[in-house]
Amino acid sequence: MWAAWTLTAGGCTTLAGLDRSYHLAEGSGGASGATGGSSSASATGGAGGAGVGGGAADVPADIELIDDMEDGDAAIEEAGGRVGYWYSYNDGTGTQTPPVYSEEMPVGFHPETLAPPRGQSTRAVHTFGSGFTEWGAGVGFALNGPDMGLLPYDASAYAGIVFWARLGDAGAVATVKVNISDKVSEPAGGICDEAAGEGEANRCFDHWFYMAPLGTEWTPVVIPFDELTRVGWGAEPNAEAIDLAGLYTIEFRFAQGEDFDVYIDDIGFYR
């Protein structure tokens, strides 16, 4: 299976042929939060082994897989109440592979075959691009998107997320902003105001995020939920933590002006 997404005005994407939207970008002017903040990303070096964790000592032992990409389609694993699809999104000013789906570019989102494989892992998400001048580009997926709607997902049973990553080009930007939207930052949550502009109160898309390092070797990236941060220009700016009972999307975002090239594999929640 694969989903067909189109970029709409205001940074939203919609499944082609339907009128329900995922609000995936950080809105017009969202670049103000594109690269801010520092991180103590827990990532250790070394080539990856088989499957989630790959045998690295510091990777959590209790992992619940979200997607290993091995089925070759855009759907995440339908397990634990999760249903969703990978998508590309960008501001329309540069070039990105996989491209955002459109009538002019009706290309489905498919994981790429790894050559050589990462242990027993034979496929991964691969995105690369450059030339974006407004707010940037990225890839991501919904955690609970039945029938291409967007519903909250309760992740309160988990302590964080873990995935494997590496650069495709050693000259590409060596960090990725991992955005996780909750009911405060996501319009579908009904708290923020999608129509609010820059400088206005109650803006959407001020997502919780983590700046994760990238290297040329496969590396596990462990992101504890309690180490997420946000810039604070959106709704409920004094919120102290992400609302784990109401998550919507996980995205891998690159800011305007960044040349990016990254592989992402075996993403999961950990306890």
Side-chain angles (χ1 to χ4, degrees), residues 3-241:
W5 302 96
T6 56
L7 188 71
T8 63
C12 303
T13 57
T14 307
L15 187 71
L18 298 180
D19 59 3
R20 307 178 86 177
S21 295
Y22 284 174
H23 303 274
L24 304 169
E26 294 179 10
S28 57
S32 61
T35 58
S38 61
S39 165
S40 57
S42 175
T44 59
V52 174
D58 63 341
V59 173
D62 189 0
I63 295 174
E64 186 171 313
L65 185 70
I66 297 174
D67 197 17
D68 63 5
M69 299 82 176
E70 292 302 299
D71 55 11
D73 63 25
I76 64 173
E77 296 290 328
E78 291 192 16
R82 296 180 294 274
V83 56
Y85 298 89
W86 285 89
Y87 51 80
S88 299
Y89 66 102
N90 61 58
D91 64 26
T93 61
T95 58
Q96 180 185 13
T97 301
V100 175
Y101 184 95
S102 67
E103 292 183 0
E104 295 76 21
M105 187 86 61
V107 179
F109 193 112
H110 297 281
E112 184 174 305
T113 300
L114 295 174
R118 184 181 66 84
Q120 295 179 14
S121 179
T122 64
R123 291 185 175 91
V125 166
H126 182 203
T127 187
F128 56 93
S130 62
F132 293 98
T133 60
E134 293 185 5
W135 48 258
V139 295
F141 56 86
L143 289 164
N144 189 11
D147 301 321
M148 295 306 112
L150 190 57
L151 301 174
Y153 179 77
D154 187 352
S156 56
Y158 309 107
I161 64 170
V162 57
F163 59 91
W164 287 79
R166 74 167 174 87
L167 292 172
D169 182 337
V173 63
T175 56
V176 58
K177 183 182 183 187
V178 182
N179 279 339
I180 304 180
S181 65
D182 68 358
K183 63 184 181 182
V184 173
S185 67
E186 176 61 50
I191 294 175
C192 64
D193 180 4
E194 189 176 6
E198 187 170 357
E200 297 180 342
N202 217 37
R203 290 173 64 194
C204 295
F205 310 113
D206 184 15
H207 300 314
W208 294 88
F209 71 92
Y210 199 102
M211 298 303 296
L214 300 170
T216 56
E217 300 293 330
W218 281 110
T219 303
V221 180
V222 181
I223 303 180
F225 287 138
D226 61 9
E227 293 189 22
L228 295 171
T229 188
R230 63 199 292 245
V231 178
W233 46 256
E236 299 189 8
N238 297 321
E240 295 182 355

Side-chain angles (χ1 to χ4, degrees), residues 236-251:
E236 299 189 8
N238 297 321
E240 295 182 355
I242 191 169
D243 186 347
L244 294 177
L247 302 189
Y248 286 88
T249 62
I250 297 176
E251 297 179 345

